[in-house]
C-alpha cells in the first residue's frame, strides 16, 4: 500500500489492551474498533452486575477509545451488540438508547452462544474519520454524516435506518418486520428472508440506490439448516440489474448462527452499501463514477452465493471463509488451530490476489463453535498478524457450515481506491 495513506492503528491508555489487536484501526474516512468487552481497566476483570451494567462498561470503553483519538460518540456510524441471552435484549437496548439519545447510529443486535471471558455483552463500533489518514493533510475534515428514514421499512428509536459517511452507507440490521404492522411477518423462513431483503430494498430505493450497490451482506440465522431456503430467496434479489447479471455480481457475504434475535425472528440481515455520491462537502467531480470491483481467486474456496472480495472506494470487504480444502471441498484435517491457519491462509490469498498484503487488513471477525479453542486459534492468528494491528471481534456461535470449528471474514484497506479514484 502506498506510504502516504496507511493503516493507522492506535490504542487508548485507559482501556484493557488485547496483544492480538488494536483498539482502533483507521484508514481513509473510517475507524474500525475492536469489539469491547465489559472489562474494567482498574481490575482487568469483567465488571460486576447484570447485562445492563456490562453494556454500559462496553460503551465506556468505546468512549475512552474515541476520546483518545479525538473523536466522540456522535461519530459512531454503526454499533454492533452481541449478547449471550435473549432475556437481556431489552435491557441492553435501553442502555444503548441512553448513550445515543439524539443521533442514533445504525445498529445490529443478536444473541450468540458465547463471548470471550464469559461476558454477557460485547459491543463494537464503526466510526467516521473525517480527517482521513494522510499524515498532515486532512482529506475532508468537514465531511458530514447523513441519515435517512422511509416509512416503507421498519423504524426504531434505537437506530437510524441508514447512516452514510463519505462513500459508504451502513444499514441497520433488518428484521423480517412488516412496517405497516410493526410485527414479524408470518409464513416461516422464506417469508421472513424475503421481508428482510424487501426492507433493505425499500431503504435503498428511498436514497436512490439499487440493490447491486450492496458490497457486503451479513445474515444472522436462528437455525443454519434454514440456509438453503434463505439462499433460494436471496438469489431472487441478487443480481438485481442487467449489468450485474451480465457479470454475475454478488456481494460479499457472511452467515452467522444466532442463538436468538430481536422479536423472536428466525433471520435478520445487515448490509454495507456503496455511496458513490459521497457526503458533503465532497465535490461532484471527485465522487461520481466510482465503481465496485469484485474479486475471486482460485486460491481460496468460492461460494455460489457470494463474491470472495468486493472493493469500493478505499475498502475491500471479504466474505466469510471456512477451513475447506480446495481439492476436496471438505474440512481440513486437525483441530481448531489447523482450521484457523487455513482460514487465515485464504484471507491472505484473497488479499494478495487484489494486489494487497496482510498489512492492509483493518478488521478481522472470528467465529468459533467452542470458546475453549480461542488459545489455539490465537496461536495461529499471531503467525499472520504478529503486530496485532487489525481491530478484531471474536464470537462464539452454536454452529458453522459443514461442521467447521472456525470461520473468519475481514475488512481491508484499499489505498488505490476504485475508479475514478485510482
Amino acid at each position: 500500500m502506498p506510504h502516504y495513506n496507511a493503516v493507522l492503528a492506535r490504542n487508548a491508555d485507559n482501556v484493557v489492551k488485547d496483544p492480538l489487536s488494536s483498539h482502533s484501526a483507521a484508514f481513509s474516512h473510517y475507524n474500525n474498533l475492536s469489539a469491547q468487552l465489559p472489562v474494567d481497566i482498574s481490575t482487568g476483570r469483567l465488571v460486576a452486575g447484570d447485562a445492563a451494567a456490562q453494556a454500559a462498561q462496553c460503551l465506556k470503553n468505546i468512549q475512552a477509545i474515541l476520546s483518545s483519538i479525538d473523536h466522540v460518540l456522535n461519530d459512531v456510524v454503526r454499533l454492533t451488540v452481541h449478547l449471550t441471552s435473549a432475556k437481556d435484549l431489552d435491557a441492553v437496548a435501553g442502555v444503548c438508547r441512553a448513550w445515543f439519545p439524539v443521533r442514533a447510529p445504525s445498529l445490529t443486535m443478536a444473541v450468540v452462544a458465547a463471548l470471550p471471558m464469559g461476558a454477557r455483552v460485547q459491543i463494537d463500533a464503526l466510526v467516521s474519520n473525517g480527517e482521513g489518514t494522510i499524515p498532515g493533510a486532512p482529506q475532508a475534515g468537514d465531511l458530514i454524516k447523513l441519515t435517512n428514514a422511509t416509512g416503507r421499512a421498519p423504524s426504531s428509536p434505537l437506530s437510524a435506518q441508514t447512516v452514510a459517511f463519505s462513500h459508504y452507507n451502513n444499514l441497520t440490521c433488518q428484521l423480517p418486520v412488516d412496517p405497516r404492522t410493526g410485527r414479524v411477518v408470518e409464513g416461516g423462513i422464506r417469508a421472513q428472508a424475503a421481508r428482510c431483503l424487501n426492507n433493505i430494498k425499500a431503504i435503498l430505493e428511498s436514497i436512490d440506490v439499487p440493490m447491486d450497490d450492496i458490497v457486503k451482506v451479513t445474515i444472522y440465522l436462528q437455525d443454519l439448516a434454514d440456509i438453503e431456503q434463505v439462499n433460494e430467496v436471496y438469489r431472487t434479489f441478487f443480481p438485481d440489474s442487467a449489468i450485474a447479471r451480465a457479470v454475475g455480481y454478488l456481494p460479499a457475504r457472511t452467515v452467522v448462527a444466532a442463538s436468538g434475535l430481536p422479536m423472536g425472528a428466525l433471520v435478520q440481515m445487515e448490509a454495507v452499501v456503496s455511496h458513490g455520491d459521497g457526503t458533503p462537502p465532497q465535490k461532484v467531480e471527485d465522487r461520481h463514477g466510482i465503481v465496485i470491483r469484485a474479486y475471486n481467486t482460485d486460491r481460496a474456496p468460492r461460494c455460489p452465493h457470494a463474491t470472495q472480495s468486493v472493493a469500493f472506494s478505499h475498502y475491500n470487504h471479504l466474505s466469510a471463509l471456512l477451513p475447506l480444502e480446495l481439492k476436496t471441498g471438505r474440512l481440513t484435517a486437525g483441530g481448531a488451530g489447523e482450521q484457523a491457519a487455513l482460514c487465515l491462509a485464504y484471507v491472505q490469498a484473497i488479499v494478495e490476489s487484489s494486489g494487497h498484503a496482510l498489512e492492509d487488513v483493518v478488521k478481522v471477525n472470528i467465529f468459533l463453535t467452542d470458546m475453549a479453542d480461542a488459545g489455539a486459534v490465537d496461536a495461529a492468528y499471531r503467525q499472520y498478524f504478529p503486530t496485532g494491528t487489525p481491530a478484531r471481534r471474536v464470537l462464539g456461535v452454536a454452529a458453522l457450515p459443514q461442521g467447521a470449528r472456525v470461520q473468519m471474514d475481514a475488512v481491508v484497506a484499499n489505498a488505490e481506491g476504485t475508479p475514478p479514484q485510482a
Side-chain angles (χ1 to χ4, degrees):
M1 183 162 56
H3 70 279
Y4 57 83
N5 200 3
V7 175
L8 176 60
R10 290 173 286 187
N11 292 289
D13 293 332
N14 53 346
V15 177
V16 171
K17 171 75 169 68
D18 175 2
L20 293 178
S21 65
S22 298
H23 287 148
S24 169
F27 185 80
S28 188
H29 288 147
Y30 279 95
N31 287 293
N32 300 264
L33 269 60
S34 286
Q36 290 303 301
L37 291 164
V39 176
D40 187 334
I41 185 68
S42 64
T43 65
R45 298 177 181 176
L46 297 178
V47 296
D50 57 12
Q54 291 200 4
Q57 183 63 48
C58 292
L59 291 166
K60 287 177 184 177
N61 291 344
I62 288 173
Q63 186 176 46
I65 292 167
L66 296 181
S67 178
S68 75
I69 58 175
D70 297 322
H71 284 269
V72 295
L73 284 174
N74 277 342
D75 293 333
V76 173
V77 173
R78 178 190 292 284
L79 203 67
T80 303
V81 182
H82 290 105
L83 310 91
T84 57
S85 174
K87 295 179 181 179
D88 294 330
L89 280 165
D90 288 343
V92 172
V95 173
C96 292
R97 186 184 298 113
W99 279 70
F100 296 93
V102 179
R103 295 182 180 177
S106 57
L107 177 68
T108 296
M109 293 186 75
V111 179
V112 293
L115 292 169
M117 297 180 69
R120 298 173 67 172
V121 185
Q122 179 176 258
I123 303 178
D124 63 307
L126 178 67
V127 183
S128 61
N129 189 40
E131 67 273 20
T133 49
I134 297 177
Q139 289 166 276
D142 49 356
L143 281 173
I144 62 171
K145 289 193 301 180
L146 295 177
T147 61
N148 193 72
T150 173
R152 295 174 54 212
S155 60
S156 168
L158 275 177
S159 62
Q161 284 180 351
T162 177
V163 181
F165 185 78
S166 187
H167 288 140
Y168 275 94
N169 282 297
N170 294 269
L171 271 61
T172 281
C173 205
Q174 290 301 300
L175 289 161
V177 171
D178 185 334
R180 297 171 299 177
T181 66
R183 298 175 183 174
V184 172
V185 296
E186 298 179 356
I189 189 63
R190 290 175 184 271
Q192 290 198 18
R195 185 70 260 167
C196 292
L197 288 161
N198 275 313
N199 288 343
I200 289 171
K201 188 169 186 175
I203 293 170
L204 295 186
E205 287 177 345
S206 75
I207 54 175
D208 298 320
V209 173
M211 290 287 279
D212 287 322
D213 278 0
I214 295 175
V215 296
K216 176 70 184 287
V217 175
T218 301
I219 301 174
Y220 288 85
L221 282 176
Q222 283 263 31
D223 187 348
L224 274 186
D226 288 337
I227 189 58
E228 291 307 319
Q229 294 184 72
V230 171
N231 284 340
E232 290 176 9
V233 176
Y234 191 85
R235 289 305 293 261
T236 67
F237 284 81
F238 301 101
D240 188 48
S241 67
I243 294 174
R245 285 191 290 272
V247 297
Y249 173 71
L250 294 166
R253 196 175 80 158
T254 293
V255 178
V256 181
S259 298
L261 294 173
M263 301 181 71
L266 301 176
V267 59
Q268 69 176 6
M269 299 187 194
E270 172 189 288
V272 179
V273 185
S274 63
H275 187 46
D277 51 349
T279 53
Q282 287 165 330
K283 297 179 181 179
V284 171
E285 60 267 24
D286 293 334
R287 70 197 189 197
H288 282 283
I290 302 176
V291 300
I292 290 173
R293 280 189 167 170
Y295 298 91
N296 284 299
T297 174
D298 292 334
R299 295 171 54 203
R302 294 193 185 193
C303 171
H305 307 290
T307 301
Q308 287 172 349
S309 174
V310 178
F312 181 80
S313 188
H314 285 146
Y315 275 96
N316 283 300
H317 299 262
L318 270 62
S319 290
L321 292 155
L322 291 164
L324 306 177
E325 295 287 353
L326 287 177
K327 291 183 179 180
T328 65
R330 297 176 181 173
L331 288 178
T332 192
E338 288 78 12
Q339 290 194 13
L342 188 55
C343 290
L344 289 159
Y346 289 148
V347 169
Q348 183 174 29
I350 293 171
V351 169
E352 290 178 348
S353 74
S354 60
H356 289 270
L358 287 179
E359 289 76 17
D360 297 332
V361 176
V362 294
K363 182 75 176 283
V364 178
N365 296 306
I366 301 175
F367 306 89
L368 304 175
T369 57
D370 188 345
M371 292 300 295
D373 288 335
V377 172
D378 285 349
Y381 187 89
R382 191 175 291 109
Q383 299 302 309
Y384 286 82
F385 297 103
T387 62
T389 293
R392 198 168 82 140
R393 176 203 294 159
V394 179
L395 299 177
V397 295
L400 288 170
Q402 300 197 39
R405 298 171 72 171
V406 184
Q407 174 180 267
M408 297 186 192
D409 67 17
V411 182
V412 186
N414 188 42
E416 69 275 20
T418 52
Q421 300 292 320

Short mmCIF file of all heavy atoms in Angstrom, two decimals, residues 154-189:
data_model
loop_
_atom_site.label_atom_id
_atom_site.label_comp_id
_atom_site.label_asym_id
_atom_site.label_seq_id
_atom_site.Cartn_x
_atom_site.Cartn_y
_atom_site.Cartn_z
N PRO A 154 -39.15 -0.78 8.50
CA PRO A 154 -39.35 -0.57 9.94
C PRO A 154 -38.43 0.53 10.47
O PRO A 154 -37.30 0.70 10.02
CB PRO A 154 -38.98 -1.93 10.55
CG PRO A 154 -39.10 -2.90 9.44
CD PRO A 154 -38.74 -2.16 8.19
N SER A 155 -38.93 1.29 11.43
CA SER A 155 -38.14 2.31 12.08
C SER A 155 -38.08 2.02 13.57
O SER A 155 -38.93 1.31 14.11
CB SER A 155 -38.71 3.71 11.83
OG SER A 155 -40.04 3.78 12.33
N SER A 156 -37.06 2.57 14.23
CA SER A 156 -36.87 2.33 15.65
C SER A 156 -36.20 3.54 16.28
O SER A 156 -35.30 4.14 15.67
CB SER A 156 -36.00 1.09 15.87
OG SER A 156 -35.57 0.98 17.21
N PRO A 157 -36.59 3.89 17.52
CA PRO A 157 -35.89 4.98 18.21
C PRO A 157 -34.46 4.61 18.58
O PRO A 157 -33.67 5.48 18.94
CB PRO A 157 -36.75 5.20 19.46
CG PRO A 157 -37.45 3.90 19.69
CD PRO A 157 -37.70 3.35 18.32
N LEU A 158 -34.13 3.33 18.48
CA LEU A 158 -32.79 2.86 18.83
C LEU A 158 -31.76 3.15 17.75
O LEU A 158 -30.56 3.19 18.03
CB LEU A 158 -32.81 1.35 19.06
CG LEU A 158 -33.20 0.82 20.43
CD1 LEU A 158 -33.22 -0.69 20.40
CD2 LEU A 158 -32.24 1.33 21.48
N SER A 159 -32.20 3.32 16.50
CA SER A 159 -31.23 3.39 15.42
C SER A 159 -31.77 4.15 14.22
O SER A 159 -32.98 4.27 14.04
CB SER A 159 -30.84 1.97 14.97
OG SER A 159 -31.98 1.29 14.47
N ALA A 160 -30.83 4.63 13.41
CA ALA A 160 -31.19 5.19 12.11
C ALA A 160 -31.29 4.04 11.11
O ALA A 160 -30.56 3.05 11.22
CB ALA A 160 -30.12 6.18 11.66
N GLN A 161 -32.17 4.15 10.15
CA GLN A 161 -32.27 3.09 9.14
C GLN A 161 -30.97 2.95 8.36
O GLN A 161 -30.52 1.85 8.08
CB GLN A 161 -33.43 3.36 8.19
CG GLN A 161 -34.79 3.06 8.75
CD GLN A 161 -35.89 3.35 7.75
OE1 GLN A 161 -35.65 3.95 6.68
NE2 GLN A 161 -37.11 2.97 8.08
N THR A 162 -30.39 4.08 8.01
CA THR A 162 -29.11 4.06 7.30
C THR A 162 -28.31 5.31 7.66
O THR A 162 -28.88 6.40 7.79
CB THR A 162 -29.30 3.97 5.77
OG1 THR A 162 -28.02 4.03 5.13
CG2 THR A 162 -30.15 5.09 5.23
N VAL A 163 -27.03 5.12 7.83
CA VAL A 163 -26.12 6.23 8.13
C VAL A 163 -25.02 6.24 7.07
O VAL A 163 -24.27 5.27 6.94
CB VAL A 163 -25.50 6.10 9.53
CG1 VAL A 163 -24.58 7.29 9.80
CG2 VAL A 163 -26.58 6.01 10.60
N ALA A 164 -24.95 7.33 6.33
CA ALA A 164 -23.92 7.47 5.30
C ALA A 164 -22.82 8.39 5.79
O ALA A 164 -23.08 9.40 6.45
CB ALA A 164 -24.52 8.02 4.01
N PHE A 165 -21.61 8.03 5.46
CA PHE A 165 -20.47 8.91 5.68
C PHE A 165 -19.47 8.65 4.58
O PHE A 165 -19.13 7.49 4.29
CB PHE A 165 -19.82 8.67 7.04
CG PHE A 165 -18.72 9.66 7.35
CD1 PHE A 165 -19.03 10.94 7.78
CD2 PHE A 165 -17.38 9.33 7.18
CE1 PHE A 165 -18.04 11.88 8.04
CE2 PHE A 165 -16.38 10.25 7.43
CZ PHE A 165 -16.70 11.53 7.87
N SER A 166 -19.03 9.72 3.94
CA SER A 166 -18.12 9.60 2.81
C SER A 166 -18.74 8.66 1.77
O SER A 166 -19.85 8.87 1.35
CB SER A 166 -16.73 9.13 3.27
OG SER A 166 -15.81 9.17 2.21
N HIS A 167 -18.05 7.59 1.39
CA HIS A 167 -18.52 6.77 0.28
C HIS A 167 -19.18 5.46 0.69
O HIS A 167 -19.22 4.51 -0.10
CB HIS A 167 -17.35 6.49 -0.68
CG HIS A 167 -16.96 7.69 -1.47
ND1 HIS A 167 -15.65 8.02 -1.73
CD2 HIS A 167 -17.70 8.68 -2.03
CE1 HIS A 167 -15.61 9.13 -2.43
NE2 HIS A 167 -16.84 9.55 -2.63
N TYR A 168 -19.70 5.41 1.92
CA TYR A 168 -20.40 4.20 2.36
C TYR A 168 -21.69 4.55 3.10
O TYR A 168 -21.77 5.54 3.82
CB TYR A 168 -19.51 3.35 3.28
CG TYR A 168 -18.61 2.42 2.51
CD1 TYR A 168 -17.31 2.79 2.19
CD2 TYR A 168 -19.05 1.18 2.07
CE1 TYR A 168 -16.47 1.95 1.46
CE2 TYR A 168 -18.24 0.34 1.34
CZ TYR A 168 -16.94 0.72 1.04
OH TYR A 168 -16.13 -0.12 0.31
N ASN A 169 -22.70 3.69 2.91
CA ASN A 169 -23.92 3.68 3.70
C ASN A 169 -23.91 2.43 4.57
O ASN A 169 -23.58 1.32 4.08
CB ASN A 169 -25.17 3.60 2.81
CG ASN A 169 -25.53 4.92 2.18
OD1 ASN A 169 -25.83 5.87 2.87
ND2 ASN A 169 -25.50 4.97 0.86
N ASN A 170 -24.29 2.55 5.82
CA ASN A 170 -24.37 1.41 6.72
C ASN A 170 -25.81 1.28 7.21
O ASN A 170 -26.32 2.16 7.91
CB ASN A 170 -23.42 1.61 7.90
CG ASN A 170 -21.97 1.61 7.46
OD1 ASN A 170 -21.32 0.58 7.44
ND2 ASN A 170 -21.45 2.77 7.08
N LEU A 171 -26.46 0.19 6.84
CA LEU A 171 -27.86 -0.01 7.17
C LEU A 171 -28.03 -0.74 8.50
O LEU A 171 -27.27 -1.67 8.81
CB LEU A 171 -28.57 -0.84 6.09
CG LEU A 171 -29.20 -0.07 4.91
CD1 LEU A 171 -28.14 0.70 4.14
CD2 LEU A 171 -29.96 -1.03 4.02
N THR A 172 -29.01 -0.32 9.27
CA THR A 172 -29.39 -1.08 10.46
C THR A 172 -29.82 -2.48 10.04
O THR A 172 -30.47 -2.66 9.01
CB THR A 172 -30.54 -0.36 11.20
OG1 THR A 172 -30.00 0.73 11.95
CG2 THR A 172 -31.28 -1.28 12.13
N CYS A 173 -29.43 -3.46 10.83
CA CYS A 173 -29.76 -4.85 10.53
C CYS A 173 -31.29 -4.98 10.46
O CYS A 173 -32.00 -4.58 11.38
CB CYS A 173 -29.20 -5.76 11.62
SG CYS A 173 -28.91 -7.45 11.09
N GLN A 174 -31.76 -5.52 9.35
CA GLN A 174 -33.20 -5.56 9.11
C GLN A 174 -33.83 -6.87 9.57
O GLN A 174 -33.44 -7.95 9.15
CB GLN A 174 -33.49 -5.33 7.63
CG GLN A 174 -33.21 -3.91 7.17
CD GLN A 174 -34.04 -2.90 7.93
OE1 GLN A 174 -35.28 -2.93 7.90
NE2 GLN A 174 -33.37 -1.99 8.63
N LEU A 175 -34.82 -6.72 10.44
CA LEU A 175 -35.63 -7.83 10.88
C LEU A 175 -36.77 -8.06 9.88
O LEU A 175 -37.12 -7.15 9.12
CB LEU A 175 -36.21 -7.55 12.26
CG LEU A 175 -35.21 -7.58 13.42
CD1 LEU A 175 -35.76 -6.84 14.62
CD2 LEU A 175 -34.87 -9.03 13.78
N PRO A 176 -37.38 -9.23 9.90
CA PRO A 176 -38.50 -9.51 8.97
C PRO A 176 -39.80 -8.90 9.47
O PRO A 176 -40.81 -9.59 9.67
CB PRO A 176 -38.55 -11.03 8.96
CG PRO A 176 -38.06 -11.43 10.33
CD PRO A 176 -37.00 -10.43 10.66
N VAL A 177 -39.78 -7.60 9.65
CA VAL A 177 -40.91 -6.88 10.22
C VAL A 177 -41.65 -6.12 9.11
O VAL A 177 -41.03 -5.40 8.32
CB VAL A 177 -40.44 -5.90 11.31
CG1 VAL A 177 -41.58 -4.99 11.76
CG2 VAL A 177 -39.86 -6.67 12.49
N ASP A 178 -42.96 -6.30 9.08
CA ASP A 178 -43.80 -5.55 8.16
C ASP A 178 -43.94 -4.13 8.70
O ASP A 178 -44.46 -3.94 9.82
CB ASP A 178 -45.16 -6.23 8.06
CG ASP A 178 -46.07 -5.59 7.01
OD1 ASP A 178 -45.89 -4.38 6.72
OD2 ASP A 178 -46.96 -6.28 6.51
N PRO A 179 -43.50 -3.11 7.98
CA PRO A 179 -43.56 -1.75 8.50
C PRO A 179 -44.99 -1.26 8.74
O PRO A 179 -45.21 -0.34 9.53
CB PRO A 179 -42.86 -0.91 7.43
CG PRO A 179 -42.95 -1.72 6.19
CD PRO A 179 -42.89 -3.15 6.63
N ARG A 180 -45.98 -1.88 8.11
CA ARG A 180 -47.37 -1.46 8.30
C ARG A 180 -47.92 -1.92 9.64
O ARG A 180 -48.77 -1.24 10.24
CB ARG A 180 -48.24 -2.01 7.17
CG ARG A 180 -47.88 -1.48 5.78
CD ARG A 180 -48.64 -2.23 4.71
NE ARG A 180 -48.30 -3.66 4.72
CZ ARG A 180 -48.86 -4.56 3.93
NH1 ARG A 180 -49.80 -4.19 3.06
NH2 ARG A 180 -48.49 -5.83 3.99
N THR A 181 -47.44 -3.07 10.12
CA THR A 181 -47.97 -3.62 11.36
C THR A 181 -46.98 -3.54 12.51
O THR A 181 -47.37 -3.63 13.68
CB THR A 181 -48.35 -5.09 11.17
OG1 THR A 181 -47.16 -5.87 10.91
CG2 THR A 181 -49.33 -5.25 10.01
N GLY A 182 -45.68 -3.42 12.19
CA GLY A 182 -44.65 -3.46 13.22
C GLY A 182 -44.42 -4.83 13.78
O GLY A 182 -43.77 -4.97 14.83
N ARG A 183 -44.90 -5.87 13.10
CA ARG A 183 -44.77 -7.24 13.58
C ARG A 183 -43.98 -8.10 12.60
O ARG A 183 -43.91 -7.80 11.41
CB ARG A 183 -46.16 -7.87 13.79
CG ARG A 183 -47.00 -7.15 14.83
CD ARG A 183 -48.39 -7.76 14.88
NE ARG A 183 -49.26 -7.05 15.83
CZ ARG A 183 -50.56 -7.29 15.99
NH1 ARG A 183 -51.14 -8.23 15.25
NH2 ARG A 183 -51.25 -6.60 16.88
N VAL A 184 -43.39 -9.17 13.14
CA VAL A 184 -42.70 -10.13 12.30
C VAL A 184 -43.73 -10.79 11.37
O VAL A 184 -44.82 -11.18 11.81
CB VAL A 184 -41.99 -11.21 13.15
CG1 VAL A 184 -41.44 -12.33 12.29
CG2 VAL A 184 -40.87 -10.55 13.97
N VAL A 185 -43.38 -10.91 10.10
CA VAL A 185 -44.32 -11.49 9.13
C VAL A 185 -44.52 -12.98 9.40
O VAL A 185 -43.65 -13.66 9.95
CB VAL A 185 -43.81 -11.30 7.68
CG1 VAL A 185 -43.74 -9.83 7.33
CG2 VAL A 185 -42.46 -11.98 7.47
N GLU A 186 -45.66 -13.47 9.01
CA GLU A 186 -45.96 -14.89 9.13
C GLU A 186 -45.48 -15.62 7.88
O GLU A 186 -45.24 -15.03 6.84
CB GLU A 186 -47.46 -15.09 9.32
CG GLU A 186 -48.00 -14.45 10.60
CD GLU A 186 -49.50 -14.65 10.75
OE1 GLU A 186 -50.12 -15.22 9.82
OE2 GLU A 186 -50.04 -14.25 11.79
N GLY A 187 -45.35 -16.94 8.00
CA GLY A 187 -45.02 -17.73 6.81
C GLY A 187 -43.72 -18.48 6.85
O GLY A 187 -43.34 -19.12 5.88
N GLY A 188 -42.98 -18.40 7.95
CA GLY A 188 -41.76 -19.19 8.05
C GLY A 188 -40.54 -18.50 7.48
O GLY A 188 -40.54 -17.30 7.16
N ILE A 189 -39.46 -19.28 7.31
CA ILE A 189 -38.15 -18.71 6.98
C ILE A 189 -38.14 -18.04 5.62
O ILE A 189 -37.51 -16.99 5.44
CB ILE A 189 -37.05 -19.78 7.08
CG1 ILE A 189 -35.68 -19.13 6.96
CG2 ILE A 189 -37.26 -20.90 6.08
CD1 ILE A 189 -35.32 -18.16 8.05
#
